[in-house]
Amino acid sequence: MTIKASSPEEYISKVPEDRKEAMSKLRQTILKNLPKGFAEGMNYNMIGYFVPHSVYPDGYHCDPKQPLPFISIASQKHFIAFYHMGMYANMKLLDWFTKEYTKHCKIKMDMGKSCVRFKKVDDVPYKLIGELTKKMSASEWIKIYETNLER
């Protein structure tokens, strides 16, 4: 399910009614905890949080016209998706999140690479996502990204 929108506000306005509150709360949780150096906007038809070209002019290696992605959220057909590229690139951060997840959620984590899927809106661990969001600065993300790019 792709939602075409030009802003995060427009995106949330087009989300199915039963997910609007959860998507708004998820967005606000990320914004409240997002370190300086990141920006919010639309990226790949999702609400994205990224390192803008003003901070990292090279952009994303797959498409240098795009800013360097970090976190994205989306309402998919059967779930809310939370993407965190930092967890995909940093095993220590992934291990921390996996251990903490069991303390915040009753259900088994549904995860693939950098995407955590929440099939029920009541299962989104906002506090944990807030903690995760503030664990990596833009400069740390750029360093990890460039290190992994060189391999």
Side-chain angles (χ1 to χ4, degrees), residues 26 29-30 33 82 84 87 93 96-105 109 116 118 123-135:
L26 184 55
T29 298
I30 294 166
N33 292 284
F82 171 77
H84 191 291
M87 279 197 306
L93 189 59
W96 171 85
F97 182 80
T98 302
K99 288 175 187 163
E100 288 297 311
Y101 186 89
T102 60
K103 298 175 187 175
H104 293 262
C105 298
M109 185 165 46
V116 182
F118 303 104
D123 292 337
V124 180
Y126 301 103
K127 184 177 178 193
L128 178 61
I129 288 172
E131 289 176 35
L132 173 64
T133 301
K134 61 185 169 186
K135 280 200 169 285

Side-chain angles (χ1 to χ4, degrees), residues 1-108:
M1 167 171 125
T2 300
I3 296 174
K4 300 283 184 183
S6 59
S7 71
E9 295 82 8
E10 182 184 1
Y11 185 95
I12 289 176
S13 77
K14 294 181 175 184
V15 167
E17 278 304 317
D18 63 332
R19 292 192 188 164
K20 276 187 180 158
E21 186 178 339
M23 287 293 294
S24 285
K25 188 172 179 179
L26 184 55
R27 177 181 178 229
Q28 291 309 314
T29 298
I30 294 166
L31 284 171
K32 181 180 174 186
N33 292 284
L34 194 66
K36 289 182 181 178
F38 292 106
E40 179 191 49
M42 295 304 297
N43 211 358
Y44 300 101
N45 294 315
M46 297 181 280
I47 298 174
Y49 304 89
F50 43 79
V51 182
H53 285 101
S54 60
V55 175
Y56 189 69
D58 290 351
Y60 188 38
H61 74 280
C62 294
D63 181 359
K65 293 177 188 170
Q66 295 290 328
L68 180 61
F70 181 56
I71 295 173
S72 296
I73 57 174
S75 178
Q76 302 293 357
K77 187 174 182 179
H78 298 291
F79 54 88
I80 290 175
F82 171 77
Y83 300 86
H84 191 291
M85 299 293 283
M87 279 197 306
Y88 183 62
N90 181 325
M91 189 56 75
K92 286 182 183 177
L93 189 59
L94 176 61
D95 289 343
W96 171 85
F97 182 80
T98 302
K99 288 175 187 163
E100 288 297 311
Y101 186 89
T102 60
K103 298 175 187 175
H104 293 262
C105 298
K106 300 172 197 137
I107 60 159
K108 181 181 175 187

